[in-house]
């Protein structure tokens, strides 16, 4: 494959035609035209400023909530690494790089007597957690986020207050092509030993109820908002996605190497040899069956990006 755009000089690493499958938890997907691993924020800003503005860019974290389609991703995929994984704690303020793992941030905060324990069981890194307003146990990024550092598609750097992201259930507003490089949280003071015990209990509960040893990308679908347990519209209740999947008879459903996990039916799983098309296709099968049986339209929580294999010409 020959690129039809020029690449500016960098201090980090540029790799053409880079397979992305091994960079995602699902272990599926085609190549990126270019994978860029910047050395630091200056390197990223200078690259974006010099890159032809018509070239699309996509920022990915550790691939924990992502399906890359079999045809891969056109343009430049940006993956932040060691230059973006710092964690600093000052009082109850926690500053974390976008590549810092959520679990590491929770542990470091707890060691310093700051409660951000909800992050402990969330897979992925801080950049993705902010973008998706990740949460569990009734707490969300939006409850603690103070500000984010971003680099826009034109290379301009900006610190945005949390309010500018309009964080809501599994969603945020961020300018096209902007890359989150860091975030600042206001935690709550707590006893380090008590916080550590709380996180241990959370991990035990997660391992008992979720298929943590399997190849999944976390929860597949968002919980339907505004429905009662009977599936009727009711703004005072929220229904669980696994419940409507079970009611539709789709727990354990398969397509190719993909399966809706038997342990937790809202976990789409690569059971071995699945393609991205298998996984996404099974997800769509589930959405159709749930709609046919309950009238509820499930919304994807997993991000699906790139092109089908048939659309990619090497």
């Amino acid at each position: 494959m020959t690129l039809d755009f020029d690449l500016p000089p960098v201090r980090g690493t540029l790799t053409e035609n880079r397979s992305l499958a091994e960079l995602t938890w699902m272990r599926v997907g085609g190549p990126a035209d270019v994978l860029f691993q910047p050395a630091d924020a200056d390197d990223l800003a200078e690259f974006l400023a010099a890159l032809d503005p018509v070239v699309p860019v996509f920022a990915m974290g550790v691939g924990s909530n992502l399906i890359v389609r079999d045809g891969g991703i056109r343009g430049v995929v940006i993956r932040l690494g060691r230059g973006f994984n710092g964690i600093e704690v000052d009082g109850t303020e926690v500053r974390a790089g976008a590549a810092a793992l959520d679990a590491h941030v929770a542990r470091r905060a707890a060691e310093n007597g700051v409660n951000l324990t909800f992050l402990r069981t969330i897979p992925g890194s801080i950049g993705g957690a902010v973008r998706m307003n990740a949460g569990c146990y009734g707490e969300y990024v939006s409850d603690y986020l103070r500000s984010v550092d971003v680099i826009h598609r034109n290379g301009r750097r900006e610190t945005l207050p949390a309010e500018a992201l309009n964080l809501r259930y599994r969603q945020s507003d961020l300018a096209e092509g902007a890359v989150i490089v860091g975030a600042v949280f206001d935690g709550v003071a707590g006893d380090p030993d008590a916080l550590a015990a709380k996180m241990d209990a959370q991990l035990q509960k997660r391992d008992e109820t979720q298929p943590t040893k399997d190849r999944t990308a976390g929860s597949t679908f968002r919980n339907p908002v505004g429905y009662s347990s009977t599936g009727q519209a009711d703004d005072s209740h929220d229904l669980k996605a696994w419940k409507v999947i079970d009611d539709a008879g789709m727990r354990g459903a398969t397509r190719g190497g993909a399966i809706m996990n038997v342990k937790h039916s809202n976990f789409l799983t690569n059971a071995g040899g699945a393609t991205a098309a298998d996984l996404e296709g099974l997800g769509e099968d589930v959405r159709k069956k749930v709609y046919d049986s309950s009238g509820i339209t499930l919304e994807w929580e997993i991000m699906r990006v790139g092109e089908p294999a048939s659309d990619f010409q090497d």
Side-chain angles (χ1 to χ4, degrees), residues 175-242:
E176 183 73 23
V179 181
I180 296 171
V181 295
V184 178
F185 299 88
D186 271 330
V188 178
D191 176 71
D193 291 338
L195 296 175
K198 182 178 180 179
M199 291 189 295
D200 287 344
Q202 290 171 345
L203 287 172
Q204 181 177 348
K205 180 180 179 180
R206 182 194 66 176
D207 290 345
E208 289 172 351
T209 59
Q210 297 178 11
T212 55
K213 305 299 183 185
D214 297 337
R215 286 185 178 174
T216 77
S219 296
T220 304
F221 301 107
R222 302 171 184 169
N223 289 326
V225 176
Y227 291 92
S228 70
S229 60
T230 62
Q232 300 300 309
D234 182 349
D235 290 340
S236 65
H237 294 82
D238 293 338
L239 191 59
K240 298 299 185 183
W242 68 262

Side-chain angles (χ1 to χ4, degrees), residues 43 71 76 86 118 214 249:
D43 193 28
V76 176
F118 80 99
D214 297 337

Side-chain angles (χ1 to χ4, degrees), residues 53-237:
V54 304
V55 177
V57 299
F58 174 74
M60 70 175 289
V62 294
S64 61
N65 190 45
L66 184 69
I67 293 175
V68 176
R69 296 186 176 107
D70 299 305
I73 300 177
R74 307 287 70 78
V76 176
V77 172
I78 297 168
R79 192 168 194 259
L80 307 183
R82 291 187 177 182
F84 301 85
N85 66 355
I87 305 169
E88 300 176 1
V89 182
D90 183 6
T92 57
E93 177 185 287
V94 179
R95 181 178 294 273
L101 296 179
D102 301 330
H104 290 178
V105 174
R107 287 203 303 263
R108 180 71 63 81
E111 290 166 0
N112 287 272
V114 181
N115 185 356
L116 290 175
T117 54
F118 80 99
L119 288 170
R120 181 63 182 89
T121 58
I122 296 176
S125 55
I126 288 297
V130 170
R131 183 181 287 271
M132 292 293 292
N133 190 25
C136 61
Y137 307 116
E139 296 181 286
Y140 296 87
V141 164
S142 56
D143 296 325
Y144 300 97
L145 185 67
R146 178 195 294 176
S147 64
V148 292
D149 296 323
V150 304
I151 300 178
H152 292 279
R153 176 60 182 84
N154 61 5
R156 180 173 62 88
R157 300 172 72 160
E158 185 177 15
T159 297
L160 298 171
E163 294 77 13
L165 298 183
N166 188 25
L167 295 173
R168 52 208 185 276
Y169 180 65
R170 300 296 188 262
Q171 297 180 73
S172 64
D173 294 339
L174 196 65
E176 183 73 23
V179 181
I180 296 171
V181 295
V184 178
F185 299 88
D186 271 330
V188 178
D191 176 71
D193 291 338
L195 296 175
K198 182 178 180 179
M199 291 189 295
D200 287 344
Q202 290 171 345
L203 287 172
Q204 181 177 348
K205 180 180 179 180
R206 182 194 66 176
D207 290 345
E208 289 172 351
T209 59
Q210 297 178 11
T212 55
K213 305 299 183 185
D214 297 337
R215 286 185 178 174
T216 77
S219 296
T220 304
F221 301 107
R222 302 171 184 169
N223 289 326
V225 176
Y227 291 92
S228 70
S229 60
T230 62
Q232 300 300 309
D234 182 349
D235 290 340
S236 65
H237 294 82

